[in-house]
Amino acid sequence: MKRSTIYILSAMALEILLIVIFINWILSPIAKDGGNTRVLWIPIPIAVLISLVLGYLAGQYIHFEKIVRFFRFFIGVILFYAIFIISVILGFGFFHLLYPDLPSNIWVAPSMFVFLASPYIILIGCILGLILCSLKEDLWLLDFGNKTN
C-alpha cells in the first residue's frame, strides 16, 4: 500500500469519526429525542464503504509523487471533498432505492448534513493536502523507464 493511500484512508477514518460525533452529540440533542436524526444512521454504512473504496482507489492510482507540490494541496482538498459528496449522494440514493415510499422531503436530511459538515470536511481536506505536500518524490518511480545498464 502506498503512503498516499495510508494518508487518505487515515483522513477518511478521521472523517467517519467526526461524522459519528456530529450526528450523535450535536444533531441528536438539537432534534427532539433524536427522532429526526435516526434516518441518518441507515445510509451511513453505505457511504462509509463508498468513501473507503474511493479513497483506496485514489491513493493507489493517483501518483502524488509525480505531481508538483503546490498542486498536491489543491488535489488533496478537492479529492477529499469530492469523495465526501459522492458518498453522501450515493449513500442516500441507495437508501431511497431501499425505501421508495419515503416522503419527498427526505432529501432535506442529506442536504442539511452536507451544509453543516462541509467546513469540517474541507478542513480535513486541507490537512490531507498539507500531508500530501510532504510526500517525497520517489526517484525509482520517476526513473523507471530511463534505466541504462
Side-chain angles (χ1 to χ4, degrees):
M1 191 178 309
K2 290 171 42 177
R3 231 185 227 309
S4 58
T5 306
I6 294 169
Y7 293 150
I8 291 173
L9 292 179
S10 299
M12 294 287 170
L14 179 63
E15 171 194 21
I16 294 164
L17 177 68
L18 288 178
I19 287 172
V20 168
I21 290 171
F22 179 72
I23 292 173
N24 203 21
W25 287 301
I26 296 174
L27 285 183
S28 292
I30 291 173
K32 284 186 176 180
D33 301 325
N36 294 338
T37 60
R38 286 189 205 138
V39 72
L40 291 174
W41 290 111
I42 296 171
I44 285 188
I46 296 168
V48 165
L49 182 65
I50 292 168
S51 290
L52 293 175
V53 168
L54 289 176
Y56 176 78
L57 291 174
Q60 287 297 106
Y61 292 109
I62 297 175
H63 298 285
F64 289 101
E65 299 85 10
K66 293 182 179 181
I67 300 172
V68 178
R69 288 180 192 253
F70 176 74
F71 293 119
R72 289 184 208 172
F73 174 77
F74 295 110
I75 290 173
V77 173
I78 292 169
L79 175 77
F80 197 73
Y81 193 72
I83 289 174
F84 170 69
I85 296 296
I86 291 168
S87 299
V88 169
I89 291 172
L90 290 178
F92 278 93
F94 283 125
F95 175 64
H96 191 66
L97 288 175
L98 290 174
Y99 302 103
D101 57 344
L102 292 171
S104 62
N105 65 353
I106 195 67
W107 288 99
V108 171
S111 60
M112 176 185 72
F113 183 70
V114 167
F115 177 72
L116 293 175
S118 287
Y120 303 106
I121 300 302
I122 291 174
L123 178 67
I124 297 171
C126 289
I127 294 169
L128 175 66
L130 290 173
I131 291 171
L132 289 175
C133 285
S134 69
L135 284 175
K136 301 250 189 296
E137 293 178 3
D138 191 359
L139 296 177
W140 177 81
L141 213 98
L142 295 175
D143 293 335
F144 182 73
N146 299 329
K147 289 190 175 186
T148 56
N149 291 334

